[in-house]
């Protein structure tokens, strides 16, 4: 493979994938203005529309990394994700209470004292700072009286509260689609699938679609298109219609047990506009999504939620005809979330979000656009790959070991890279 000619100016972009990452990236591209006119012409191509993707099956309660369902443990990835998640929070907060987004009080409980876990302590400290700076809302530590309200069998020892976005995924993905339909500089094509590795055929794809660059937002499809180490994290949710509760008494608080001794011993209760969502389940390397009420882990998941909130779920049974189960595969990349460009090719990747696709959506989309900008002209511009969280809240990371960033010559210019670039 030889290096391809770079565009002097990226104006036409092909976004591959129509889940939340693909549609958000397309919308953010469509919104960029230069001298009052659209900066990009955007084409979206996907095998399936958004309502047929895993995005509509997501729990979609905003989380700050490290997230339970995100599953990423790489420290550098977590720090990059913190910035992305705050950007998404601010955008969702502006949208609420419209577009299927509303702000809810969320209580997170832990089976340990938070100070005894380095990652959780650091996460809590940063959430407190973000709340003080009004970048997020409503942080406070739960009192011991509030902790004691949790049934003793869950062995909860600590917790805190936030105001966070809860996204009704079918409504929100429909809103994204409708927003794109209103953009004169966006076209969407469903029913077409791009196969095989992107890099060897990127020149042909760009010629066939008449674009300058490609953004890969294919989730699990990145295993094929990017050769990525993708692992499905199967999840399932139980949905209870909100009309089961009389108006004025409908649930308004979300609950999550985020740190327990056993991986599946989680509780996830989220009120949406249309349903109360019960979870959670994380099953790595399980591909079959045809699981339902008869599946034992689903039964156990429902029973945990009912034990946690017996008054709230009084009279609700898994066997009820208006209660259903949905399942999907979270697209987890072993290394970390991938928002990167292929050096020497006109490709930007935005995939591997695990269960945090909504929480990271706007931040990742905007970084992908920055990477598109950086590939213009005869050489790449210098891109600072160090996580912004180090600059913003350095005191929270004093004991964190970060990679040594080196510089290398690339197209006659020095760039910061995580690994050496070999000629």
């Amino acid at each position: 493979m030889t290096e391809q000619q770079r565009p002097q100016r990226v104006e036409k972009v092909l976004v591959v994938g129509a889940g939340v990452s693909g549609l958000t990236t397309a919308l953010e591209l469509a919104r960029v203005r230069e001298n009052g006119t659209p900066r990009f012409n955007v084409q979206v191509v996907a095998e399936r529309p958004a309502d047929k993707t895993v995005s509509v099956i997501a729990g979609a309660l905003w989380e700050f990394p490290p997230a339970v369902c995100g599953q990423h443990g790489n420290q550098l990835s977590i720090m990059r994700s913190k910035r992305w998640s705050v950007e998404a929070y601010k955008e969702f907060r502006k949208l609420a209470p419209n577009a299927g987004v509303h702000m809810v009080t969320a209580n997170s409980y832990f089976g340990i004292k938070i100070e005894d876990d380095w990652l959780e302590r650091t996460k809590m400290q940063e959430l407190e700072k973000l709340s003080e700076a009004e970048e997020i809302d409503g942080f406070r530590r739960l009192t011991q009286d509030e902790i004691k309200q949790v049934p003793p069998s869950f062995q909860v020892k600590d917790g805190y509260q936030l105001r966070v976005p809860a996204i009704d995924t079918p409504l929100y993905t429909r809103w994204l689609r409708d927003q794109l339909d209103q953009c004169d500089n966006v076209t969407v094509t469903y029913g077409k699938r791009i196969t095989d590795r992107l890099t060897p055929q990127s020149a042909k794809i760009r010629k066939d679609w008449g674009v300058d660059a490609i953004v890969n937002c294919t989730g699990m499809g990145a295993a094929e298109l990017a050769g990525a180490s993708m692992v499905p994290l199967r999840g399932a949710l139980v949905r209870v219609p909100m009309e089961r509760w009389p108006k004025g008494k409908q649930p308004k608080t979300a609950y999550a047990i985020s740190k327990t001794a056993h991986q599946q011993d989680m509780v996830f209760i989220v009120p949406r506009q249309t349903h109360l969502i019960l979870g959670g389940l994380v099953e790595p390397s399980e591909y079959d999504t045809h699981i339902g009420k008869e599946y034992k882990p689903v039964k156990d998941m429902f029973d945990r939620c009912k034990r946690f909130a017996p008054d709230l779920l009084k009279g609700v049974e898994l066997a009820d005809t208006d209660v259903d189960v949905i399942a999907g595969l979270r697209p987890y990349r072993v290394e970390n979330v991938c928002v990167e460009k292929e050096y020497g090719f006109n490709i930007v990747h935005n995939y591997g979000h695990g269960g945090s696709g909504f929480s990271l959506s706007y931040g990742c989309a905007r970084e992908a656009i920055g990477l598109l900008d950086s590939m213009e002209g005869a050489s790449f511009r210098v891109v600072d790959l160090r996580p912004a969280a180090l600059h913003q809240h350095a005191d929270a990371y004093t004991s964190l070991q970060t990679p040594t960033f080196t510089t290398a010559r690339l197209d006659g210019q020095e760039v910061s890279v995580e690994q050496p670039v070999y000629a």
Side-chain angles (χ1 to χ4, degrees):
M1 286 183 296
T2 58
E3 185 173 302
Q4 299 170 14
Q5 182 179 0
R6 297 191 185 88
Q8 291 298 312
R9 180 175 171 81
V10 175
E11 294 181 335
K12 300 176 182 178
V13 180
L14 178 68
V15 176
V16 186
V20 64
S21 296
L23 294 185
T24 306
T25 300
L27 183 58
E28 287 295 287
L29 281 164
R31 287 172 166 173
V32 177
R33 292 291 184 270
E34 188 174 84
N35 299 323
T37 61
R39 167 75 170 81
F40 299 102
N41 286 308
V42 185
Q43 297 186 64
V44 180
V45 59
E47 185 178 9
R48 298 186 302 276
D51 60 357
K52 303 295 183 183
T53 69
V54 69
S55 292
V56 295
I57 302 171
L61 181 72
W62 182 87
E63 286 187 290
F64 188 70
V68 175
C69 291
Q71 292 287 302
H72 294 99
N74 177 282
Q75 291 177 346
L76 178 61
S77 180
I78 289 171
M79 287 190 295
R80 294 177 77 201
S81 299
K82 289 177 187 292
R83 183 185 73 243
W84 297 332
S85 67
V86 172
E87 289 194 42
Y89 184 103
K90 292 176 181 178
E91 197 66 30
F92 287 132
R93 183 170 58 184
K94 287 190 293 185
L95 286 172
N98 300 302
V101 180
H102 62 288
M103 301 297 291
V104 301
T105 297
N107 291 348
S108 293
Y109 301 97
F110 300 83
I112 56 167
K113 292 298 291 182
I114 294 173
E115 282 79 6
D116 293 339
D117 184 286
W118 184 88
L119 275 177
E120 295 297 349
R121 182 181 73 248
T122 303
K123 175 179 176 176
M124 183 183 69
Q125 288 171 348
E126 191 157 5
L127 285 170
E128 188 171 14
K129 290 179 181 179
L130 288 167
S131 183
E132 290 171 356
E134 299 184 347
E135 294 191 76
I136 64 172
D137 299 332
F139 174 86
R140 72 173 181 87
R141 197 80 173 261
L142 294 176
T143 67
Q144 280 304 303
D145 286 342
E146 290 171 312
I147 296 296
K148 290 176 182 177
Q149 293 175 17
V150 178
S153 61
F154 289 95
Q155 299 182 336
V156 166
K157 296 180 181 178
D158 211 340
Y160 52 73
Q161 184 179 93
L162 291 169
R163 288 282 292 173
V164 303
I167 297 100
D168 198 324
T169 55
L171 297 178
Y172 178 70
T173 52
R174 190 178 310 138
W175 177 85
L176 281 174
R177 183 200 63 195
D178 291 344
Q179 292 296 300
L180 290 173
D181 287 344
Q182 296 171 26
C183 296
D184 294 335
N185 57 331
V186 177
T187 59
V188 181
T189 302
Y190 295 126
K192 288 198 174 184
R193 181 183 177 189
I194 293 177
T195 59
D196 300 324
R197 290 289 296 272
L198 285 176
T199 49
Q201 58 177 331
S202 61
K204 182 179 186 302
I205 293 172
R206 288 188 289 110
K207 181 179 179 182
D208 290 346
W209 289 87
V211 297
D212 304 312
I214 303 165
V215 183
N216 170 29
C217 301
T218 54
M220 285 300 300
E224 177 181 5
L225 297 189
S229 302
M230 300 297 297
V231 176
L233 303 176
R234 184 169 67 184
L237 299 172
V238 174
R239 300 190 302 181
V240 185
M242 270 294 184
E243 56 206 35
R244 292 286 292 263
W245 291 269
K247 286 191 175 181
K249 295 186 177 181
Q250 293 179 337
K252 297 184 182 300
T253 302
Y255 304 94
I257 295 183
S258 302
K259 185 82 172 182
T260 58
H262 191 275
Q263 184 183 23
Q264 300 303 341
D265 188 16
M266 293 184 289
V267 170
F268 182 76
I269 301 176
V270 180
R272 289 183 180 171
Q273 184 173 332
T274 58
H275 292 83
L276 183 69
I277 302 297
L278 309 178
L281 191 66
V282 180
E283 296 182 314
S285 300
E286 294 289 345
Y287 284 84
D288 184 9
T289 57
H290 296 91
I291 57 175
K293 298 178 181 181
E294 72 289 344
Y295 185 53
K296 187 177 185 305
V298 169
K299 293 179 181 178
D300 293 343
M301 180 179 75
F302 177 81
D303 289 343
R304 279 197 306 275
C305 290
K306 195 159 184 177
R307 282 193 295 110
F308 178 86
D311 293 336
L312 176 65
L313 296 174
K314 184 177 181 180
V316 178
E317 300 297 337
L318 187 58
D320 293 345
T321 56
D322 61 345
V323 174
D324 67 350
V325 175
I326 54 176
L329 306 180
R330 306 175 183 96
Y332 169 66
R333 181 184 182 228
V334 174
E335 296 92 336
N336 49 48
V337 178
C338 183
V339 184
E340 303 166 8
K341 62 185 172 186
E342 293 271 4
Y343 283 100
F345 295 88
N346 300 40
I347 300 170
V348 169
H349 297 291
N350 180 11
Y351 66 84
H353 307 91
S356 300
F358 285 85
S359 295
L360 305 180
S361 56
Y362 283 95
C364 287
R366 289 164 186 171
E367 184 149 332
I369 293 171
L371 293 175
L372 285 172
D373 282 339
S374 73
M375 68 171 55
E376 289 181 351
S379 62
F380 293 106
R381 299 173 188 169
V382 175
V383 179
D384 183 4
L385 297 178
R386 291 171 298 175
L390 280 177
H391 305 300
Q392 295 168 353
H393 303 295
D395 55 328
Y397 299 96
T398 52
S399 59
L400 182 64
Q401 296 295 316
T402 58
T404 298
F405 288 86
T406 61
T407 59
R409 300 295 297 181
L410 187 63
D411 299 327
Q413 182 176 355
E414 282 196 350
V415 296
S416 294
V417 293
E418 291 182 46
Q419 297 176 339
V421 174
Y422 297 98

